Amino acid sequence: MKKPVLVVKFGSASITSNGEIDEQIVLEIARQCAQLQPKYNIVLVSSGAVAAGKRFIPKYTGTLAQRKAAAAIGNPLLVRTYGTYFRPFKIALAQSLCERQHFANRSQFLQLKSTYETLWKNNIIPIANENDVVSNKELKFSDNDELATLIAVGFGAEQVLFGTSVPGVLDGKGNVIPEIKVIDKEALSLARKEKSSVGLGGMTSKLNFARLANQLGIKAVIFSMQTENAILKAVKGETGTVCHPQKTRVSSRNKWLASGSLIAGMVQVDKGAIEALLNRKSLLAVGIKQVVQDFEVGEVFQIADEEGVVQAVAKSKIDSVSLKSGSKKNMEIAHANDIVLL
């Protein structure tokens, strides 16, 4: 049987200490992945390159140019450290520096998928990270939580694990919530607004991308590497916060559309339009209240309800300029086959 795919993401705060890569943590990652590799095709999504490289730049203030330079310095340091600790377990690694366009363009994405499958056939684990050195500011990933989710959805992963600096999603008293069955507005409100000094994301980011993964049938776990055998326990749902997958019959193409496509715009629609979408109908101009962000023909846009919550994504049949003219209320904005409910 083909092995299921497991995506494990580590934030900068979880694998660095005082700006240095925490080698004890990397050793634990290697040890536990060695136990999991016979059962899973593993992808590691690792932050830490910028955090590891910025100490080499005097008067570092975090400008875009300095972040790119720090990433250029830190990426080889990060991969070398991983290689050092995976080598005793006889596991080879491959570096995979990704850009947003690799997921937005389906042809490029399928090439990436083919490469990963070749690596897995040869028992090699890819370590993915954003290609910060060349990524366009407007087209970059929001953070590596997004990259991990895109890989998980695109590759049909069974699970995506988010390693972070806290033990899981915390309630108002600071206790870990062991499971979240549905990530709704109440669950999202649990996220604290702060983020670490070395990372881009935070709990809000993790819950939002865990929600996307869940809606597309993937289990997500938010956990801390400070727990003994953290990865092994997270896979079993025995540590951190387990976010349960929803049942889905979304095709691989539409999963890519919902996650990997480059979102160009957004519209806000009324209740009637939302009901029509839920009944698998096309989106018509009559149901659109406003264009929040412009888009062109063939681009992917988000569909938000009256409260501003994104309920679907769709591939446009017309551009937003034509939509704003309002000349044809029954004009089809997106066909039902090109709409993915979230």
Side-chain angles (χ1 to χ4, degrees):
M1 262 182 91
K2 185 179 178 181
K3 292 192 289 186
V5 175
L6 173 67
V7 179
V8 193
K9 181 263 179 180
F10 302 101
S12 297
S14 66
I15 64 165
T16 61
S17 178
N18 299 319
E20 299 280 348
I21 300 169
D22 190 328
E23 297 191 14
Q24 185 60 40
I25 292 293
V26 178
L27 171 60
E28 278 301 300
I29 293 171
R31 182 184 68 80
Q32 294 175 56
C33 283
Q35 294 185 48
L36 291 169
Q37 193 186 33
K39 300 177 183 177
Y40 292 94
N41 286 325
I42 299 172
V43 183
L44 298 181
V45 179
S46 181
S47 303
V50 174
K54 68 182 183 180
R55 63 189 175 90
F56 293 93
I57 300 176
K59 299 180 181 178
Y60 181 86
T61 59
T63 65
L64 181 61
Q66 286 178 331
R67 282 188 60 83
K68 287 177 178 290
I73 299 165
N75 263 318
L77 294 175
L78 185 66
V79 173
R80 184 175 67 189
T81 303
Y82 272 109
T84 298
Y85 289 99
F86 271 82
R87 196 169 298 116
F89 297 100
K90 294 181 171 53
I91 297 176
L93 304 174
Q95 185 177 41
S96 172
L97 295 178
C98 300
E99 298 171 45
R100 195 68 176 79
Q101 66 187 25
H102 297 151
F103 294 86
N105 183 299
R106 183 152 175 79
S107 175
Q108 288 190 1
F109 166 71
L110 292 175
Q111 290 180 46
L112 178 67
K113 187 174 182 180
S114 176
T115 300
Y116 274 38
E117 287 171 349
T118 300
L119 292 171
W120 289 328
K121 286 177 183 177
N122 291 281
N123 296 314
I124 298 168
I125 295 178
I127 299 182
N129 196 1
E130 177 164 15
N131 193 356
D132 286 304
V133 178
V134 298
S135 285
N136 183 295
K137 184 178 180 181
E138 285 73 30
L139 300 180
K140 70 191 276 58
F141 300 104
S142 58
D143 53 49
N144 271 345
D145 296 327
E146 180 181 16
L147 174 56
T149 304
L150 295 186
I151 291 173
V153 173
F155 286 57
E158 181 181 271
Q159 299 187 52
V160 55
L161 313 180
F162 297 103
T164 183
S165 56
V166 293
V169 181
L170 307 179
D171 61 19
K173 297 180 180 180
N175 299 315
V176 175
I177 299 171
E179 66 174 355
I180 300 177
K181 293 184 178 179
V182 178
I183 301 178
D184 52 16
K185 291 180 181 178
E186 183 180 352
L188 289 171
S189 71
L190 295 167
R192 297 186 176 185
K193 300 300 181 184
E194 75 270 12
K195 58 186 179 184
S196 74
S197 60
V198 293
L200 284 176
M203 192 56 71
T204 299
S205 169
K206 286 166 184 61
L207 279 173
N208 274 313
F209 288 113
R211 176 175 178 262
L212 175 59
N214 288 170
Q215 289 170 328
L216 295 174
I218 300 168
K219 175 183 170 184
V221 182
I222 301 169
F223 73 105
S224 170
M225 278 301 295
Q226 298 302 320
T227 303
E228 184 179 1
N229 290 321
I231 304 172
L232 299 176
K233 288 181 179 177
V235 168
K236 296 178 181 178
E238 296 175 352
T239 189
T241 300
V242 178
C243 305
H244 293 282
Q246 311 302 308
K247 291 182 179 180
T248 180
R249 293 182 179 178
V250 179
S251 68
S252 60
R253 175 191 175 276
N254 280 352
K255 283 184 178 180
W256 166 79
L257 183 68
S259 62
S261 300
L262 197 60
I263 304 296
M266 178 186 286
V267 298
Q268 190 172 34
V269 302
D270 59 27
K271 292 182 180 178
I274 293 296
E275 289 178 6
L277 297 182
L278 292 174
N279 288 319
R280 305 305 303 141
K281 303 293 185 181
S282 298
L283 177 65
L284 304 180
V286 67
I288 295 178
K289 298 185 69 174
Q290 67 168 321
V291 176
V292 180
Q293 187 176 344
D294 288 326
F295 51 88
E296 300 293 333
V297 176
E299 290 187 327
V300 178
F301 64 95
Q302 294 176 315
I303 302 172
D305 61 21
E306 292 179 338
E307 296 181 346
V309 177
V310 177
Q311 300 290 349
V313 296
K315 188 175 181 180
S316 61
K317 293 187 68 175
I318 67 167
D319 59 64
S320 55
V321 174
S322 301
L323 176 58
K324 288 176 182 177
S325 69
S327 58
K328 296 180 180 179
K329 289 294 184 181
N330 290 325
M331 181 166 46
E332 189 176 71
I333 310 306
H335 190 274
N337 291 341
D338 290 326
I339 299 173
V340 182
L341 298 174
L342 299 178

